[in-house]
């Protein structure tokens, strides 16, 4: 696996860009969790990707046949530590479940990168063989600050056998660079959550 050095930054809580970014993060988190609760309302404990079939619902115990309308056959999946069934898209109930799963995956993806994108710091460096992706990652802290870990590298230019140029990470000039040890200490602090959402 290829190694890429990283840089670390903290973004001050009093910046309007940071407040706005955390607000967008909280909205995305709320949407993603609401969609996930719809899956749990069917008795599922989560989701699991089944190669060749798509996204399915996971269950701790195998439900009785027909208990969840729209699901196909159940099988035990060791990685999921439970029973998994993929929606049967030949039925209207199965189509609705498949739509719910796809929507939840989309919302999870939006939530995962919402803070980085809203702060304008999203980036990924692709390097090594086989190619490894090194992402720029942000985390909101309970006190309103945001910490950022980013690869200290740039992508290869397009051409010379490389067909894709990924976005280079961009860090605002008002970000405060910190050491790896300082980042590690801040990363151990509580994350911004529901109890301090009013601060955003």
């Amino acid at each position: 696996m290829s190694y890429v050095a990283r840089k670390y930054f903290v973004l001050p809580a009093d910046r309007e860009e940071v407040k706005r970014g955390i607000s967008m993060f909280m909205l995305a988190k709320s949407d993603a969790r609401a969609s996930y609760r719809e899956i749990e309302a069917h008795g599922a404990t989560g989701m699991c990707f089944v190669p060749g079939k798509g996204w399915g619902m996971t269950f701790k115990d195998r439900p009785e046949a027909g208990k969840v309308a729209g699901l196909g056959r159940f099988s035990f999946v060791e990685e999921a530590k439970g029973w998994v069934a993929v929606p049967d898209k030949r039925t209207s109930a199965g189509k609705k479940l498949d739509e719910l799963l796809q929507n939840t995956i989309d919302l999870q993806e939006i939530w995962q990168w919402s803070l980085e994108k809203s702060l304008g710091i999203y980036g990924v460096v692709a390097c090594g063989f086989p190619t490894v992706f090194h992402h720029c990652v942000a985390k909101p802290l309970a006190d309103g600050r945001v910490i950022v870990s980013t690869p200290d590298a740039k992508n290869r230019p397009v051409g010379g056998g490389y067909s894709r140029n990924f976005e280079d990470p961009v860090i605002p000039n008002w970000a405060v660079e910190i050491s790896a040890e300082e980042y590690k200490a801040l990363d151990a602090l509580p994350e911004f959550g529901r109890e301090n959402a009013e601060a955003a």
Side-chain angles (χ1 to χ4, degrees), residues 169-191:
V170 177
I171 303 298
N173 57 12
W174 44 265
V176 179
E177 188 168 359
I178 57 176
S179 68
E181 292 75 25
E182 289 173 305
Y183 177 85
K184 188 176 180 181
L186 290 172
D187 192 37
L189 296 176
E191 186 172 318

Side-chain angles (χ1 to χ4, degrees), residues 1 10 47 53 60 68 83 92 101-102 112 119 133 137 142 157 169 192 194 197:
M1 178 176 286
V10 61
M47 303 168 57
K53 294 183 179 179
K60 184 178 179 182
V68 181
W83 295 88
S92 59
L101 288 168
Q102 293 302 322
Q112 181 178 3
L119 289 169
F133 300 98
V137 180
F192 197 95
R194 187 181 312 232

Side-chain angles (χ1 to χ4, degrees), residues 55-128:
W55 285 96
M57 293 181 170
T58 59
F59 297 82
K60 184 178 179 182
D61 301 306
R62 182 175 182 172
E64 296 173 16
K67 189 172 182 182
V68 181
L71 289 179
R73 295 176 62 184
F74 282 85
S75 58
F76 189 81
V77 177
E78 190 64 42
E79 297 80 32
K81 294 183 173 62
W83 295 88
V84 178
V86 175
D88 182 354
K89 289 175 262 194
R90 297 172 297 178
T91 66
S92 59
K95 288 176 184 175
K96 286 180 182 176
L97 287 180
D98 183 62
E99 187 177 314
L100 171 61
L101 288 168
Q102 293 302 322
N103 185 54
T104 303
I105 289 299
D106 290 344
L107 290 172
Q108 292 282 333
E109 177 79 11
I110 291 169
W111 173 27
Q112 181 178 3
W113 299 111
S114 60
L115 185 56
E116 291 84 355
K117 285 187 177 290
S118 61
L119 289 169
I121 61 171
Y122 178 81
V124 56
V125 174
C127 63

